[in-house]
Amino acid sequence: MGGMASTCCRREFLGYGCLGASALALTACGGEEEPSGWTDLIRLDEVPSGSAVKVSAGDRELLVHRSAEDEVQVLSAVCPHQGCAVEVDSQRYVCPCHDSQFELDGELIAGPAQQGLETVTSRVEGGMVRAEL
Ligand code: FES
């Protein structure tokens, strides 16, 4: 008897989840690298032990702190508050803009800056203080 109309309603669900797993190929920049951008700043004997001197290197202003006889530390002179250049004021750095103060090793003494001065990689070579800029 009567034909069965078998209507087949097929709905196809294409259930492909879209996995946005894009593999980022990260290239590791490790390993032994030749130091690049080493710049001479000042002769070590021009910085009395226990004091700091402000120097310019290109368009950067830096602070060379001779923390011990043969130990130096180079800091950025850029105040972390709003970017003025701090000045050496005997045993501390003082920012002329809003009076933030820092120890010679860059530690914050008083704000409005919220953090200390940035350290720059440095070394002494052949009596010359050099920084990696
Ligand atoms: S920029 Fe140095 S205290 Fe404001």
Side-chain angles (χ1 to χ4, degrees), residues 14 22 28 37 60 65 69 81 91 96 98 107 109 120 130-131:
L14 297 179
S22 55
R60 296 192 62 174
H65 172 215
E69 195 55 32
H81 180 228
Q91 287 301 297
H98 315 99
E107 285 290 306
I109 299 173
V120 176
R130 310 187 74 203

Side-chain angles (χ1 to χ4, degrees), residues 52-67:
V53 170
K54 190 170 171 181
V55 298
S56 296
D59 56 358
R60 296 192 62 174
E61 295 203 84
L62 302 166
L63 304 158
V64 178
H65 172 215
R66 188 170 178 183
S67 44

